[in-house]
Amino acid sequence: MAERIGVLTSGGDAPGMNAAIRAVVRAGIYYGYEIYGIQSGYNGLIEGEFQPMNLRSVSDIMSRGGTILKTSRSKLFETPEGRARAIENLKSLDINSLVVIGGDGSYRGARELSRESSMNVVGIPGTIDNDIGCTDYTIGYDTALNTVRDCIDRIKDTAFSHDRCSIIEVMGHHAGYIALNSAIAGGAEACILPEKPFDLERDIIHPLVACRARGKKLFLIIVSEGAYPSYKLAGEIQERMDITPTVSILGYIQRGGSPTVRDRLMASLMGVRAVDAVRNGERNVVVASRAGEIVTIGINEALEMKKEISPDRFVANSILSL
Ligand code: F6P
């Protein structure tokens, strides 16, 4: 009997997850494995929602956002009882490797599974936040950035016409990758990030007053969700500068949409690499992009790794917003 690999998506969906599923299914079948898709992430693993996948199950999905397998943030999987049920289901189908496409919370769940059973787990980084320490890149990030860039451009068109100050709040969980890089790409005057201690006078009022003195009439501020309340900021700017900022919270629009070439390519290559890891007998690893190479890293080591936004980018943003 052919060896079996399961594949699921977990956590927040991200554009490009479908390309990763397609790559796991196609590469897996090419190398002689049977592939099972698991619906709704770890919840489906617990509920036994498995479906055999064939080459045609993944036809014409690459251009679609979201995930055809659906996803969840499973509370039940955080309990030993939930994981025991998941392990039983995997055993009953003789699946001995599981590919998990998701963020580091999903990796932690996969690691528990590997500790409590003989299951071999392989992680593929999928999240718009780009906040997984072991990898330079996560699937979905480029599409989300491009969506934010598009929204910024549109908001700037109208803000220019009215000489307005716009506050745009973007996603990112506890990381400011989307915020800082969209601020640079969108030409923002200021940016508030979770990674950087915030001071209203120093980071917002002073730069905006200085910009105004240099003749600027259009101001754009990007706020990373949770870093500072956007409406409070609008009120404070109004009080101190006598201008009335508009607030746009972009929300879930950032998670949808057809993936960019970069996301499709990275997802495809990472999916193939995940199957290679199983073929090579690598156990409990995650696929990562590091210095332009697609590599694998042991899941324990991967979960210890941290990455930081380069301080050069903060500097670049303030220089370019002059
Ligand atoms: O992790 C991706 C993300 O979109 C974050 O940027 C955001 O904080 C979170 O998911 C929202 O999660 P949910 O879909 O559970 O509301």
Side-chain angles (χ1 to χ4, degrees):
M1 194 181 80
E3 252 188 74
R4 292 178 171 173
I5 301 176
V7 57
L8 61 79
T9 47
S10 170
D13 63 296
M17 280 184 163
N18 283 329
I21 295 166
R22 173 178 176 269
V24 170
V25 171
R26 295 247 166 112
I29 291 171
Y30 178 84
Y31 288 115
Y33 294 94
E34 285 180 12
I35 312 294
Y36 280 76
I38 295 131
Q39 287 282 316
S40 306
Y42 290 131
N43 279 346
L45 202 57
I46 294 167
E47 299 306 328
E49 294 172 41
F50 293 65
Q51 63 188 77
M53 310 279 282
N54 60 41
L55 293 173
R56 298 285 72 78
S57 322
V58 290
S59 293
D60 204 19
I61 64 168
M62 185 134 66
S63 61
R64 286 167 58 186
T67 156
I68 60 157
L69 289 177
K70 307 202 176 198
T71 184
S72 62
R73 300 188 194 275
S74 176
K75 284 280 161 219
L76 193 49
F77 195 73
E78 288 172 20
T79 67
E81 299 74 33
R83 291 194 297 275
R85 277 169 61 189
I87 290 165
E88 268 319 298
N89 289 332
L90 286 162
K91 274 192 188 153
S92 71
L93 277 174
D94 279 323
I95 294 172
N96 37 37
S97 292
L98 178 68
V99 177
V100 173
I101 306 166
D104 53 6
S106 307
Y107 288 180
R108 269 187 276 278
R111 178 169 66 178
E112 287 311 302
L113 202 67
S114 73
R115 283 176 174 166
E116 292 167 4
S117 69
S118 57
M119 191 58 48
N120 172 37
V121 296
V122 182
I124 296 180
T127 163
I128 63 164
D129 302 331
N130 197 28
D131 62 347
I132 304 182
C134 67
T135 183
D136 299 336
Y137 192 77
T138 63
I139 296 164
Y141 174 56
D142 189 58
T143 308
L145 258 189
N146 276 286
T147 302
V148 173
R149 190 265 312 141
D150 183 51
C151 294
I152 289 175
D153 290 351
R154 287 164 190 264
I155 291 169
K156 275 181 95 169
D157 285 347
T158 165
F160 169 82
S161 309
H162 290 263
D163 287 337
R164 271 189 179 142
C165 172
S166 313
I167 297 172
I168 302 182
E169 183 176 311
V170 301
M171 278 186 167
H173 200 218
H174 299 303
Y177 291 95
I178 295 178
L180 180 58
N181 290 314
S182 66
I184 295 172
E189 275 63 43
C191 178
I192 305 179
L193 307 173
E195 291 87 347
K196 207 166 165 260
F198 173 67
D199 180 89
L200 180 69
E201 283 302 325
R202 183 196 60 205
D203 299 328
I204 301 291
I205 305 299
H206 178 72
L208 291 197
V209 168
C211 283
R212 189 155 67 176
R214 284 193 297 272
K216 268 198 178 179
K217 291 183 175 155
L218 170 69
F219 307 109
L220 171 63
I221 302 166
I222 305 290
V223 179
S224 192
E225 62 174 354
Y228 199 75
S230 295
Y231 283 102
K232 181 168 185 259
L233 179 65
E236 288 165 340
I237 292 173
Q238 178 159 30
E239 241 173 55
R240 293 212 183 25
M241 295 185 65
D242 196 27
I243 49 179
T244 310
T246 60
V247 177
S248 306
I249 297 177
L250 300 188
Y252 291 94
I253 197 169
Q254 297 160 93
R255 285 244 293 261
S258 182
T260 59
V261 168
R262 184 161 191 214
D263 275 327
R264 295 180 196 201
L265 189 58
M266 291 301 279
S268 300
L269 298 176
M270 286 179 164
V272 172
R273 185 68 186 82
V275 172
D276 279 341
V278 176
R279 289 171 62 221
N280 299 341
E282 297 174 54
R283 288 193 64 79
N284 305 322
V285 294
V286 301
V287 178
S289 165
R290 293 187 68 80
E293 298 289 321
I294 294 178
V295 299
T296 54
I297 304 168
I299 197 162
N300 288 324
E301 189 191 341
L303 281 168
E304 291 296 310
M305 292 168 84
K306 303 258 176 289
K307 70 178 177 188
E308 280 174 10
I309 292 182
S310 157
D312 293 355
R313 300 227 172 174
F314 298 128
V315 177
N317 189 47
S318 23
I319 293 173
L320 296 174
S321 61
L322 288 176

